[in-house]
Amino acid sequence: MAKKRKKRNKNVQNAKNIKTKKASKIKISKKAVIAILIAIVCVACAVAIGFGIFNHYQRKKYEVDKYEVDFAANKTAFVSAANRVLAYYNSEKLKNENLEYITITSPPDLNWKLICKTTDGKSYSVPQYASANDKTVYGYIVAAFAETQNKDLMMIKVTEDRIIFGGRPFYSIVYMKDGSKPDYVLFENENYSSIFVEEIADGWYQVIGKK
């Protein structure tokens, strides 16, 4: 009996030891997880601060404050105009598969005057009816550019993958259809040493070129 009792007590003690070890491992595991999470948060904060400093430096370098348009206040007008001119581009593309891009360089009167450029270097103009809403929307965009040192909206350009609102050759508001970053301001063959690209809304960017 004494041997059985001793064996039972030993088994109980072993079970307690196992539970204690498991509890200890769980505690260590929780501490490790907390330490890892703290490390991740610290790294994320450092990256965010570093990006903020870099972005601030870039904005100063490219004098963004001088040229940037208040897109947030005029987003509705930009989106409305983009949809309108994109419809014109798509309509013209159905008629001419060699169409490379269209530009609008003057405000609508009775018509939008679209200048169409083809891949073989030819160009032609196409009038499109401008509604009262078209004129109002265009007016908002012109006013938005007029509040900056750009002073005027130079052109609206539509290509296969983007819509560009250009204020002078070195600044533009660009909508990328696929959401990717734009790689030029107005034209692909621009002579800039570098460009500044900043996302201002989903798919929308402001772009500044620097000689």
Side-chain angles (χ1 to χ4, degrees), residues 6-203:
K6 190 175 181 181
K7 187 176 181 181
R8 191 182 300 116
N9 290 338
K10 189 176 181 180
N11 290 338
V12 170
Q13 187 60 44
N14 288 339
K16 285 181 179 179
N17 290 338
I18 291 170
K19 285 183 180 179
T20 301
K21 287 179 180 179
K22 284 184 177 179
S24 178
K25 284 182 179 179
I26 290 171
K27 286 181 181 178
I28 293 171
S29 179
K30 284 182 178 178
K31 286 181 180 179
V33 169
I34 292 170
I36 291 169
L37 288 175
I38 290 172
I40 290 171
V41 170
C42 289
V43 170
C45 288
V47 170
I49 292 169
F51 177 78
I53 293 171
F54 176 76
N55 191 57
H56 176 73
Y57 167 76
Q58 289 291 92
R59 287 180 64 88
K60 286 192 71 175
K61 176 183 175 182
Y62 288 87
E63 300 181 294
V64 177
D65 291 341
K66 284 186 179 180
Y67 310 116
E68 70 178 335
V69 168
D70 189 351
F71 179 82
N74 297 280
K75 183 178 178 181
T76 300
F78 277 98
V79 171
S80 179
N83 289 334
R84 187 69 160 160
V85 296
L86 179 59
Y88 291 150
Y89 174 86
N90 290 337
S91 176
E92 195 60 33
K93 186 74 172 179
L94 290 174
K95 302 173 190 174
N96 186 348
E97 62 180 16
N98 292 323
L99 182 68
E100 184 178 3
Y101 62 81
I102 65 171
T103 60
I104 298 169
T105 55
S106 59
D109 185 11
L110 293 175
N111 294 301
W112 292 94
K113 187 178 180 182
L114 311 182
I115 306 299
C116 304
K117 183 74 177 291
T118 60
T119 53
D120 56 5
K122 296 178 182 178
S123 61
Y124 58 94
S125 63
V126 177
Q128 292 283 357
Y129 171 71
S131 67
N133 184 63
D134 289 336
K135 297 173 188 177
T136 300
V137 165
Y138 193 93
Y140 281 131
I141 296 172
V142 168
F145 274 89
E147 292 175 355
T148 72
Q149 288 196 20
N150 285 306
K151 298 303 180 189
D152 56 26
L153 173 67
M154 193 170 76
M155 71 167 64
I156 302 175
K157 180 182 177 185
V158 189
T159 72
E160 187 71 31
D161 62 350
R162 70 194 71 193
I163 301 167
I164 303 171
F165 297 83
R168 307 288 186 185
F170 52 81
Y171 179 89
S172 64
I173 297 289
V174 183
Y175 174 70
M176 298 295 293
K177 297 177 188 177
D178 63 0
S180 62
K181 280 190 174 185
D183 49 355
Y184 59 87
V185 184
L186 280 174
F187 298 99
E188 292 184 75
N189 58 350
E190 294 162 335
N191 186 27
Y192 293 119
S193 60
S194 60
I195 63 171
F196 172 82
V197 180
E198 183 177 45
E199 188 171 21
I200 51 179
D202 189 23

